[in-house]
Amino acid sequence: MPRKRSPWSARFAEPVDERVKRFTASVSFDRRLAKYDIEASLAHANMLAAQGVLARRDLAAIRRGLRRIGRDIEAGRFRWSLDAEDVHLNIERRLTALVGEAGKRLHTARSRNDQVATDVRLWLRAEIDELRGLIAGLEAALLDHAERHAALIMPGFTHLQVAQPVTFGHHLLAYVEMLERDRERLGEIRKRVNRLPLGAAALAGTSFPIDRVHVARALGFERLCENSLDAVSDRDFAIEFCACAALIMVHLSRLAEELVLWVNPRFGFVRLPQAYCTGSSIMPQKMNPDVPELVRGKSGRVFGALVALLVLMKAQPLAYNKDNQEDKQPLFDTVDTLKDSVVVFTGLIAGLEPVPDAMRAAVLEGHATATDLADYLVRRGVPFRDAHGVVARAVRAAEAAGVDLAALPLATLKSLSKEIGSDVQRILTPEGSVAARRHPGGTAPAQVRRAAERARRRLRR
């Protein structure tokens, strides 16, 4: 049986080798762009007809054929062919089979180079919109806990050592801030994604009287890609998105690591919902935090995709090169991994249960109110460096006695400084410590609740 020839085969004396065909084909993964290829093709056809380049009867046939193809793809009836190489030629070939000569006229004044650049931008724009909504959902789950546990005392850490008391709500709001910056970045990236390449054709534009602004408006693009060479070869938007995705995964991975620590009995700060844990094939007692561990691990996958795109684009001469076909799999995988991670984390956070007694016990093990004692002395006129020394001696005395700083007898504290009065014990409690930080961004429960409300308002905008 003779091998099928490619649409451009008239230039060649022999058909493409089967191994080359498999090696160069992208239809196995770029078919997910089909919806956007059809959308862009309809906008292109409408513009060509408005400019008098395409006859109205051909436009009607193209519309009819593309809509049928869209329905077939959605219903899973469309037959994808390796011979047609990619999503674009598969759709074009089927369109021509359905509507005849009109289908062959659709590609007037465009190239697959500007076609694929447009499709990827349309797809990524929609994915960014969905991701921003998913991240907002994760923020909302964190905010539910922050509001409910605005006054729940836990240790704050530096160097993974007990540092100062905070509240569970305050701690979770730190991740809300990270995620909100991520949402902002995605919104900013969307503006640069939302520029139309179509009309650049292969690399130099087209001699047909096209109206790029017409197409941009029809497809919801805010701006045009201004240079035809850049329009077909630019993948900055994909790299920038993957960089943002990598940073989101950094944030999720940090929270994942804390959850892995907190669920360990040595901490015991939280209980994870059992539906988000797995067991051991040999140890019946195990309940493993596989979800946060996998999110932590998948961060490396997203980082790798970013590096892959950077290496892909480095040293590429203008304009389009076949290398650029390799942009899609890392980009698609990044979006899939990020969406899955955010969704599963949202469910896990929603079912999280803090363990107040364990948190409080940890606070009382680390002399967490030492800084409060130093501040107390400063307010009574003691220079900070002198106050620091007094508190250091107090900590040594507490360690010698085997108690937390807050449990030292008043007489012992007074022996260390004549400025210490009977009111000192109030400020040495974890509750007194967090309540004293009443400024915006501080740990006082009232401030935590106000911060959560401000975050809620941002999500509603």
Side-chain angles (χ1 to χ4, degrees):
M1 180 183 294
R3 289 182 286 187
K4 292 182 180 178
R5 289 181 174 269
S6 299
W8 53 87
S9 60
R11 170 66 178 81
F12 296 90
E14 60 183 45
V16 176
D17 184 275
E18 287 297 317
R19 288 167 297 188
V20 173
K21 186 188 299 182
R22 289 193 299 272
F23 185 71
T24 59
S26 60
V27 68
S28 63
F29 53 85
D30 69 10
R31 66 177 68 176
R32 72 162 65 189
L33 298 175
K35 170 186 173 183
Y36 303 98
D37 191 72
I38 291 170
E39 184 181 341
S41 291
L42 285 168
H44 181 68
N46 288 334
M47 179 275 294
L48 290 179
Q51 295 297 104
V53 177
L54 187 68
R56 288 288 168 179
R57 64 179 179 277
D58 288 336
L59 173 62
I62 288 168
R63 283 174 172 171
R64 183 174 66 253
L66 287 176
R67 286 168 183 159
R68 176 175 169 180
I69 291 168
R71 290 192 300 270
D72 287 346
I73 291 172
E74 189 173 348
R77 294 189 298 265
F78 191 86
R79 295 181 63 183
W80 298 99
S81 168
L82 190 68
D83 289 309
E85 186 174 308
D86 58 30
V87 61
H88 321 291
L89 289 178
N90 266 270
I91 290 174
E92 183 180 321
R93 178 176 287 182
R94 178 58 178 156
L95 178 66
T96 301
L98 287 173
V99 304
E101 292 295 311
K104 298 178 182 179
R105 294 191 174 97
L106 174 60
H107 208 54
T108 304
R110 75 176 184 184
S111 160
R112 280 193 302 169
N113 295 355
D114 61 344
Q115 187 179 359
V116 66
T118 302
D119 292 357
V120 173
R121 285 174 183 264
L122 285 170
W123 171 82
L124 185 55
R125 184 181 71 185
E127 295 294 337
I128 286 172
D129 291 342
E130 184 178 356
L131 270 165
R132 293 187 79 231
L134 294 175
I135 291 170
L138 177 53
E139 287 186 59
L142 289 164
L143 286 169
D144 288 343
H145 282 292
E147 291 164 342
R148 193 158 54 245
H149 304 296
L152 175 56
I153 297 292
M154 71 172 291
F157 296 91
T158 61
H159 309 280
L160 206 56
Q161 305 294 313
V162 173
Q164 292 178 276
V166 297
T167 72
F168 189 53
H170 186 71
H171 193 109
L172 294 183
L173 283 179
Y175 288 101
V176 172
E177 290 294 306
M178 296 179 211
L179 292 168
E180 185 57 21
R181 291 195 298 272
D182 293 328
R183 277 207 325 132
E184 289 175 5
R185 270 186 286 270
L186 283 171
E188 292 159 5
I189 290 167
R190 188 190 191 280
K191 295 176 183 177
R192 287 181 284 281
V193 170
N194 205 27
R195 298 176 183 177
L196 176 70
L198 204 61
L203 77 161
T206 177
S207 60
F208 289 94
I210 61 173
D211 184 349
R212 295 185 69 205
V213 173
H214 178 286
V215 177
R217 287 174 179 162
L219 293 174
F221 284 103
E222 297 171 43
R223 289 177 54 183
L224 304 178
C225 294
E226 296 285 348
N227 180 279
S228 61
L229 291 165
D230 181 59
V232 297
S233 61
D234 167 50
R235 294 300 183 268
D236 289 3
F237 67 93
I239 294 171
E240 190 176 8
F241 170 80
C242 286
C244 181
L247 194 48
I248 297 170
M249 290 302 292
V250 166
H251 296 153
L252 294 184
S253 185
R254 293 181 72 183
L255 179 53
E257 173 67 7
E258 294 206 306
L259 291 173
V260 170
L261 288 172
W262 290 352
V263 78
N264 186 289
R266 291 294 175 267
F267 281 77
F269 289 179
V270 298
R271 298 187 188 94
L272 301 184
Q274 292 190 15
Y276 288 78
C277 298
T278 62
S280 166
S281 63
I282 189 172
M283 295 170 283
Q285 83 281 12
K286 294 296 292 297
M287 191 162 66
N288 298 322
D290 280 10
V291 165
E293 287 176 351
L294 270 174
V295 168
R296 188 176 61 185
K298 286 179 183 292
S299 63
R301 185 169 178 159
V302 173
F303 302 163
L306 171 60
V307 173
L309 288 178
L310 289 167
V311 174
L312 173 72
M313 294 306 298
K314 78 163 190 65
Q316 270 201 45
L318 289 173
Y320 182 85
N321 298 280
K322 190 66 170 179
D323 312 43
N324 288 10
Q325 180 173 292
E326 292 296 302
D327 65 345
K328 293 171 196 63
Q329 285 173 297
L331 181 60
F332 293 164
D333 189 68
T334 294
V335 168
D336 292 344
T337 301
L338 186 54
K339 284 165 65 174
D340 287 347
S341 297
V342 172
V343 168
V344 76
F345 235 42
T346 301
L348 181 145
I349 293 297
L352 197 67
E353 293 181 19
V355 183
D357 290 345
M359 291 181 177
R360 187 174 187 83
V363 171
L364 297 178
E365 287 180 350
H367 311 295
T369 55
T371 304
D372 296 275
L373 179 56
D375 291 346
Y376 170 89
L377 290 169
V378 169
R379 285 194 294 271
R380 292 190 164 227
V382 179
F384 182 81
R385 284 301 167 201
D386 293 341
H388 191 282
V390 170
V391 176
R393 291 193 296 275
V395 168
R396 287 202 303 271
E399 289 177 344
V403 297
D404 184 69
L405 178 63
L408 270 182
L410 180 59
T412 303
L413 290 170
K414 284 185 173 183
S415 71
L416 296 171
S417 172
K418 62 183 178 58
E419 299 300 333
I420 293 178
S422 57
D423 60 340
V424 70
Q425 290 176 317
R426 176 179 55 81
I427 66 98
L428 291 179
T429 65
E431 287 78 11
S433 177
V434 298
R437 288 154 172 79
R438 295 185 292 271
H439 53 78
T443 58
Q447 286 294 340
V448 172
R449 293 186 185 97
R450 291 189 190 108
E453 177 53 34
R454 288 193 296 272
R456 291 275 189 202
R457 287 199 296 269
R458 288 197 301 265
L459 291 181
R460 290 194 288 266
R461 289 203 292 266

